[in-house]
mmCIF file of all heavy atoms in Angstrom:
data_model
loop_
_atom_site.group_PDB
_atom_site.id
_atom_site.type_symbol
_atom_site.label_atom_id
_atom_site.label_comp_id
_atom_site.label_asym_id
_atom_site.label_seq_id
_atom_site.Cartn_x
_atom_site.Cartn_y
_atom_site.Cartn_z
ATOM 1 N N HIS A 5 92.331 -0.478 6.227
ATOM 2 C CA HIS A 5 93.587 -1.304 6.903
ATOM 3 C C HIS A 5 93.117 -1.934 8.091
ATOM 4 O O HIS A 5 93.969 -2.478 8.906
ATOM 5 C CB HIS A 5 94.741 -0.366 7.035
ATOM 6 C CG HIS A 5 95.373 -0.049 5.728
ATOM 7 N ND1 HIS A 5 96.057 -0.857 4.995
ATOM 8 C CD2 HIS A 5 95.326 1.310 5.067
ATOM 9 C CE1 HIS A 5 96.456 -0.210 3.857
ATOM 10 N NE2 HIS A 5 96.090 1.108 3.843
ATOM 11 N N SER A 6 91.755 -1.924 8.506
ATOM 12 C CA SER A 6 91.391 -2.468 9.755
ATOM 13 C C SER A 6 91.709 -3.964 9.943
ATOM 14 O O SER A 6 92.036 -4.351 11.031
ATOM 15 C CB SER A 6 89.880 -2.293 9.938
ATOM 16 O OG SER A 6 89.187 -2.834 8.870
ATOM 17 N N ALA A 7 91.589 -4.758 8.921
ATOM 18 C CA ALA A 7 92.009 -6.194 8.931
ATOM 19 C C ALA A 7 93.410 -6.385 9.284
ATOM 20 O O ALA A 7 93.814 -7.397 9.822
ATOM 21 C CB ALA A 7 91.457 -6.918 7.730
ATOM 22 N N GLU A 8 94.233 -5.407 8.917
ATOM 23 C CA GLU A 8 95.727 -5.563 9.245
ATOM 24 C C GLU A 8 95.960 -5.166 10.711
ATOM 25 O O GLU A 8 96.839 -5.668 11.308
ATOM 26 C CB GLU A 8 96.437 -4.699 8.337
ATOM 27 C CG GLU A 8 96.441 -5.141 6.884
ATOM 28 C CD GLU A 8 97.237 -4.136 6.096
ATOM 29 O OE1 GLU A 8 98.416 -3.859 6.346
ATOM 30 O OE2 GLU A 8 96.638 -3.614 5.112
ATOM 31 N N GLU A 9 95.106 -4.308 11.178
ATOM 32 C CA GLU A 9 95.344 -3.591 12.490
ATOM 33 C C GLU A 9 94.836 -4.368 13.617
ATOM 34 O O GLU A 9 95.234 -4.325 14.704
ATOM 35 C CB GLU A 9 94.800 -2.129 12.444
ATOM 36 C CG GLU A 9 95.534 -1.390 11.448
ATOM 37 C CD GLU A 9 94.707 -0.028 11.146
ATOM 38 O OE1 GLU A 9 93.570 0.173 11.666
ATOM 39 O OE2 GLU A 9 95.248 0.792 10.378
ATOM 40 N N LYS A 10 93.767 -5.164 13.358
ATOM 41 C CA LYS A 10 93.179 -5.928 14.503
ATOM 42 C C LYS A 10 92.418 -7.162 13.841
ATOM 43 O O LYS A 10 92.052 -7.104 12.636
ATOM 44 C CB LYS A 10 92.206 -5.090 15.199
ATOM 45 C CG LYS A 10 90.968 -4.632 14.400
ATOM 46 C CD LYS A 10 90.077 -3.661 15.177
ATOM 47 C CE LYS A 10 88.893 -3.293 14.295
ATOM 48 N NZ LYS A 10 88.412 -2.048 14.201
ATOM 49 N N ARG A 11 92.081 -8.050 14.699
ATOM 50 C CA ARG A 11 91.286 -9.184 14.356
ATOM 51 C C ARG A 11 89.796 -8.758 14.243
ATOM 52 O O ARG A 11 89.291 -8.120 15.040
ATOM 53 C CB ARG A 11 91.289 -10.294 15.441
ATOM 54 C CG ARG A 11 90.715 -11.592 14.971
ATOM 55 C CD ARG A 11 90.628 -12.550 16.131
ATOM 56 N NE ARG A 11 89.874 -13.767 15.833
ATOM 57 C CZ ARG A 11 88.539 -13.803 15.796
ATOM 58 N NH1 ARG A 11 87.770 -12.877 16.256
ATOM 59 N NH2 ARG A 11 88.005 -14.927 15.496
ATOM 60 N N ILE A 12 89.295 -9.003 13.092
ATOM 61 C CA ILE A 12 87.853 -8.687 12.829
ATOM 62 C C ILE A 12 86.900 -9.962 12.941
ATOM 63 O O ILE A 12 87.173 -10.929 12.287
ATOM 64 C CB ILE A 12 87.748 -8.077 11.457
ATOM 65 C CG1 ILE A 12 88.481 -6.718 11.391
ATOM 66 C CG2 ILE A 12 86.294 -7.700 11.161
ATOM 67 C CD1 ILE A 12 88.417 -6.104 10.002
ATOM 68 N N ASP A 13 86.025 -9.913 13.906
ATOM 69 C CA ASP A 13 85.160 -11.052 14.078
ATOM 70 C C ASP A 13 84.249 -11.236 12.775
ATOM 71 O O ASP A 13 84.066 -10.348 11.978
ATOM 72 C CB ASP A 13 84.113 -10.769 15.160
ATOM 73 C CG ASP A 13 84.846 -10.835 16.517
ATOM 74 O OD1 ASP A 13 85.800 -11.547 16.707
ATOM 75 O OD2 ASP A 13 84.370 -10.118 17.457
ATOM 76 N N PRO A 14 83.955 -12.514 12.479
ATOM 77 C CA PRO A 14 83.198 -12.809 11.316
ATOM 78 C C PRO A 14 81.721 -12.035 11.472
ATOM 79 O O PRO A 14 81.270 -11.891 12.587
ATOM 80 C CB PRO A 14 82.857 -14.354 11.300
ATOM 81 C CG PRO A 14 83.176 -14.727 12.758
ATOM 82 C CD PRO A 14 84.171 -13.737 13.341
ATOM 83 N N THR A 15 81.142 -11.798 10.391
ATOM 84 C CA THR A 15 79.837 -11.267 10.364
ATOM 85 C C THR A 15 78.712 -12.274 10.968
ATOM 86 O O THR A 15 79.146 -13.474 11.180
ATOM 87 C CB THR A 15 79.362 -10.983 8.946
ATOM 88 O OG1 THR A 15 79.149 -12.208 8.220
ATOM 89 C CG2 THR A 15 80.278 -10.015 8.271
ATOM 90 N N VAL A 16 77.641 -11.836 11.364
ATOM 91 C CA VAL A 16 76.665 -12.728 12.032
ATOM 92 C C VAL A 16 76.368 -13.917 11.174
ATOM 93 O O VAL A 16 76.377 -15.029 11.687
ATOM 94 C CB VAL A 16 75.360 -11.876 12.306
ATOM 95 C CG1 VAL A 16 74.277 -12.845 12.832
ATOM 96 C CG2 VAL A 16 75.626 -10.833 13.435
ATOM 97 N N SER A 17 76.088 -13.796 9.879
ATOM 98 C CA SER A 17 75.845 -14.917 9.021
ATOM 99 C C SER A 17 76.987 -15.844 9.023
ATOM 100 O O SER A 17 76.830 -17.163 8.912
ATOM 101 C CB SER A 17 75.273 -14.592 7.723
ATOM 102 O OG SER A 17 76.288 -13.791 6.971
ATOM 103 N N VAL A 18 78.189 -15.403 8.754
ATOM 104 C CA VAL A 18 79.340 -16.274 8.741
ATOM 105 C C VAL A 18 79.664 -16.943 9.994
ATOM 106 O O VAL A 18 79.997 -18.094 9.947
ATOM 107 C CB VAL A 18 80.610 -15.353 8.215
ATOM 108 C CG1 VAL A 18 81.922 -16.191 8.112
ATOM 109 C CG2 VAL A 18 80.435 -14.851 6.753
ATOM 110 N N ALA A 19 79.481 -16.292 11.133
ATOM 111 C CA ALA A 19 79.616 -16.917 12.413
ATOM 112 C C ALA A 19 78.617 -18.039 12.676
ATOM 113 O O ALA A 19 79.069 -19.070 13.124
ATOM 114 C CB ALA A 19 79.502 -15.820 13.477
ATOM 115 N N LYS A 20 77.413 -17.898 12.089
ATOM 116 C CA LYS A 20 76.588 -19.068 12.118
ATOM 117 C C LYS A 20 76.940 -20.264 11.324
ATOM 118 O O LYS A 20 76.911 -21.366 11.782
ATOM 119 C CB LYS A 20 75.177 -18.664 11.560
ATOM 120 C CG LYS A 20 74.310 -17.715 12.548
ATOM 121 C CD LYS A 20 72.990 -17.392 11.916
ATOM 122 C CE LYS A 20 72.302 -16.366 12.708
ATOM 123 N NZ LYS A 20 71.033 -15.885 12.277
ATOM 124 N N PHE A 21 77.463 -19.971 10.148
ATOM 125 C CA PHE A 21 78.085 -21.166 9.273
ATOM 126 C C PHE A 21 79.267 -21.629 10.063
ATOM 127 O O PHE A 21 79.421 -22.875 10.108
ATOM 128 C CB PHE A 21 78.658 -20.625 7.945
ATOM 129 C CG PHE A 21 77.466 -20.182 6.897
ATOM 130 C CD1 PHE A 21 77.503 -19.079 6.341
ATOM 131 C CD2 PHE A 21 76.354 -21.123 6.731
ATOM 132 C CE1 PHE A 21 76.517 -18.802 5.389
ATOM 133 C CE2 PHE A 21 75.456 -20.701 5.706
ATOM 134 C CZ PHE A 21 75.540 -19.596 5.178
ATOM 135 N N ALA A 22 80.070 -20.826 10.677
ATOM 136 C CA ALA A 22 81.292 -21.436 11.353
ATOM 137 C C ALA A 22 80.734 -22.270 12.518
ATOM 138 O O ALA A 22 81.370 -23.439 12.728
ATOM 139 C CB ALA A 22 82.158 -20.221 12.061
ATOM 140 N N ARG A 23 79.710 -21.915 13.392
ATOM 141 C CA ARG A 23 79.175 -22.750 14.423
ATOM 142 C C ARG A 23 78.651 -24.042 13.823
ATOM 143 O O ARG A 23 78.923 -25.178 14.340
ATOM 144 C CB ARG A 23 78.196 -22.022 15.198
ATOM 145 C CG ARG A 23 78.854 -21.037 16.228
ATOM 146 C CD ARG A 23 77.819 -20.378 17.116
ATOM 147 N NE ARG A 23 76.660 -19.760 16.532
ATOM 148 C CZ ARG A 23 76.706 -18.602 16.121
ATOM 149 N NH1 ARG A 23 77.693 -17.795 16.218
ATOM 150 N NH2 ARG A 23 75.614 -18.084 15.485
ATOM 151 N N ARG A 24 77.907 -24.025 12.792
ATOM 152 C CA ARG A 24 77.198 -25.134 12.108
ATOM 153 C C ARG A 24 78.161 -26.203 11.734
ATOM 154 O O ARG A 24 77.986 -27.297 11.831
ATOM 155 C CB ARG A 24 76.344 -24.670 11.084
ATOM 156 C CG ARG A 24 75.442 -25.800 10.388
ATOM 157 C CD ARG A 24 74.434 -25.275 9.383
ATOM 158 N NE ARG A 24 73.741 -24.119 9.829
ATOM 159 C CZ ARG A 24 73.371 -23.150 9.109
ATOM 160 N NH1 ARG A 24 73.509 -23.134 7.733
ATOM 161 N NH2 ARG A 24 72.619 -22.085 9.545
ATOM 162 N N LEU A 25 79.370 -25.615 11.175
ATOM 163 C CA LEU A 25 80.374 -26.549 10.605
ATOM 164 C C LEU A 25 81.458 -27.042 11.574
ATOM 165 O O LEU A 25 82.310 -27.749 11.305
ATOM 166 C CB LEU A 25 81.157 -25.985 9.430
ATOM 167 C CG LEU A 25 80.160 -25.474 8.338
ATOM 168 C CD1 LEU A 25 81.054 -24.843 7.198
ATOM 169 C CD2 LEU A 25 79.497 -26.751 7.646
ATOM 170 N N ASN A 26 81.406 -26.374 12.921
ATOM 171 C CA ASN A 26 82.371 -26.437 13.809
ATOM 172 C C ASN A 26 83.821 -26.121 13.294
ATOM 173 O O ASN A 26 84.760 -26.884 13.306
ATOM 174 C CB ASN A 26 82.326 -27.912 14.325
ATOM 175 C CG ASN A 26 83.254 -28.062 15.574
ATOM 176 O OD1 ASN A 26 83.282 -27.069 16.346
ATOM 177 N ND2 ASN A 26 83.763 -29.219 15.908
ATOM 178 N N ALA A 27 83.794 -24.979 12.547
ATOM 179 C CA ALA A 27 84.918 -24.458 11.777
ATOM 180 C C ALA A 27 86.062 -24.246 12.817
ATOM 181 O O ALA A 27 85.886 -23.840 14.101
ATOM 182 C CB ALA A 27 84.737 -23.099 11.106
ATOM 183 N N ARG A 28 87.357 -24.639 12.455
ATOM 184 C CA ARG A 28 88.459 -24.574 13.255
ATOM 185 C C ARG A 28 89.010 -23.098 13.403
ATOM 186 O O ARG A 28 89.906 -22.798 14.191
ATOM 187 C CB ARG A 28 89.536 -25.507 12.815
ATOM 188 C CG ARG A 28 89.081 -26.881 12.985
ATOM 189 C CD ARG A 28 90.273 -27.848 12.717
ATOM 190 N NE ARG A 28 89.746 -29.202 12.941
ATOM 191 C CZ ARG A 28 90.491 -30.198 13.098
ATOM 192 N NH1 ARG A 28 91.853 -29.980 12.971
ATOM 193 N NH2 ARG A 28 90.087 -31.565 13.200
#
């Protein structure tokens, strides 16, 4: 239930995609 209890940061690889795409 961790995703319900707190915001979970993206994994390292997903965070790289987010930066590359300037994800909102």
Side-chain angles (χ1 to χ4, degrees):
H5 293 286
S6 60
E8 293 173 58
E9 297 164 356
K10 64 182 185 222
R11 182 184 179 282
I12 298 176
D13 290 330
T15 64
V16 172
S17 63
V18 176
K20 285 181 186 177
F21 287 131
R23 283 191 301 277
R24 188 175 308 150
L25 300 173
N26 197 25
R28 295 188 179 196

